[in-house]
Amino acid sequence: MTSLALEKLINEFNKLPGIGKKSATRIAFHLINSSMEEIKTLTSVITEAKAHIKHCSICSNLTEQDICNICSDLSRRTDILCIVEDCRDIISLEKTATFRGKYHVLNGKIAPLKGITPDKLNIESLLIRIASEPITEVIIAINPDLEGETTTLYLNKLIKNFNIKVTRIASGLPMGGNLEYADTATISQSLNGRHEIY
Amino acid sequence: MTSLALEKLINEFNKLPGIGKKSATRIAFHLINSSMEEIKTLTSVITEAKAHIKHCSICSNLTEQDICNICSDLSRRTDILCIVEDCRDIISLEKTATFRGKYHVLNGKIAPLKGITPDKLNIESLLIRIASEPITEVIIAINPDLEGETTTLYLNKLIKNFNIKVTRIASGLPMGGNLEYADTATISQSLNGRHEIY
């Protein structure tokens, strides 16, 4: 490499998730050919996002305010709460425009082997919300994998104590999917979760 | 999206080459979870690269000095010059450690439909170098596509006037490649470029 600054730039981008050495090099060259204006915009947007974005004090979603605009939205249902692992999942769920209740972000799932025990998740704040808000149904929308199922069982046990309906998002063949190519666990789930057609 | 700063951050990364909406979102969340220290390193590395990196006054390669460290390397051959489209190509060629001469970066290839006429490329400085440096062979290492071939023919015509040997990097099946899957143009090139085995 003929420039140390260039090498440093490539290495910095190489650290980002999903960016390999080749993509990092491509981005670095793109940035060097960008205008000073564009570079200033990029760096200031990064710095400002880091400085202003924090977790909502109610649901733990990312926000610039103290309370996120889902929690402060009076038009949303307060009787139904959807539990997700991560803030990103809220974006995916919101895109469907199917759910009009509130959210609660756990910030991970129980994984003792990775040192993530229940006390490291936002479970205490969840139980406080269930006890104090007029919630009648909790939807557990944690990803359906081994750790997700463990977390679901754990949460179900805790929430059932409040005499509240606990539901789990359906698992099965994705839309457009194919029995031929689906794994056995997914097919089992889609059989077990079958529903009557009226 | 629950945060405008987050949306801006995602959009900024979405502008970079090879980064789609999903990758940009992933990077944005990664950055928000990074430490303030890491963010400062990233932004300062970007700003500094932009501020200090310029083109070598001889070969047009990227460098922080006035003359790049390939041009100023006294151990390299001065009689052989390799012409490339882009600074990135120098990195690829240097990795092979096969070539020990000097380079000249054209900064593109002739593409009249995109408005890239010969006067927009570093051809004048190339001819000045050929006239003044003790060059005996010029290797044209421009990528073998339609525009690359046009540029090669154009350069060949110009350089031949100096009574200098002009060579072109070989085109053919890549190592590990397969006749069955290769395109006809590549197979033609590998037939035309065949060499005797001694």
Side-chain angles (χ1 to χ4, degrees), chain A residues 1-6 9 17 19 29-30 32 34 36 39 43 45 50 53 61-62 64 69 87-88 91, chain B residues 1-6 9 17 19 29-30 32 34 36 43 45 50 53 61-62 64 69 87-88 91:
Chain A
M1 201 68 68
T2 54
S3 158
L4 189 69
L6 181 64
L9 184 62
I19 308 284
F29 277 91
H30 170 87
I32 288 163
S34 301
M36 201 41 118
I39 294 296
T43 53
V45 161
K50 180 64 191 166
I53 296 174
N61 187 12
L62 294 179
E64 284 151 87
N69 52 15
C87 306
R88 268 168 285 193
I91 300 176
Chain B
M1 204 67 70
T2 54
S3 157
L4 189 68
L6 181 64
L9 184 62
I19 308 284
F29 277 92
H30 170 87
I32 289 164
S34 301
M36 201 42 117
T43 53
V45 161
K50 179 65 191 166
I53 296 174
N61 187 14
L62 293 180
E64 284 151 87
N69 52 15
C87 305
R88 267 168 285 192
I91 301 176

Side-chain angles (χ1 to χ4, degrees), chain B residues 106-169:
Chain B
L106 278 192
N107 239 337
K109 46 194 169 184
I110 301 171
L113 291 176
K114 292 179 194 155
I116 308 173
T117 44
D119 57 295
K120 299 227 167 70
L121 303 174
N122 293 329
I123 294 178
E124 212 185 296
S125 58
L126 170 69
L127 299 179
I128 295 172
R129 286 184 76 180
I130 293 174
S132 60
E133 292 179 26
I135 295 163
T136 56
E137 181 181 351
V138 168
I139 303 175
I140 303 182
I142 298 172
N143 291 327
D145 50 23
L146 193 66
E147 294 159 352
E149 294 308 301
T150 312
T151 313
T152 302
L153 289 174
Y154 183 86
L155 289 177
N156 183 39
K157 226 171 167 181
L158 287 177
I159 303 168
K160 274 279 188 267
N161 293 332
F162 293 88
N163 270 325
I164 278 176
K165 187 173 159 193
V166 181
T167 56
R168 177 88 176 99
I169 52 163

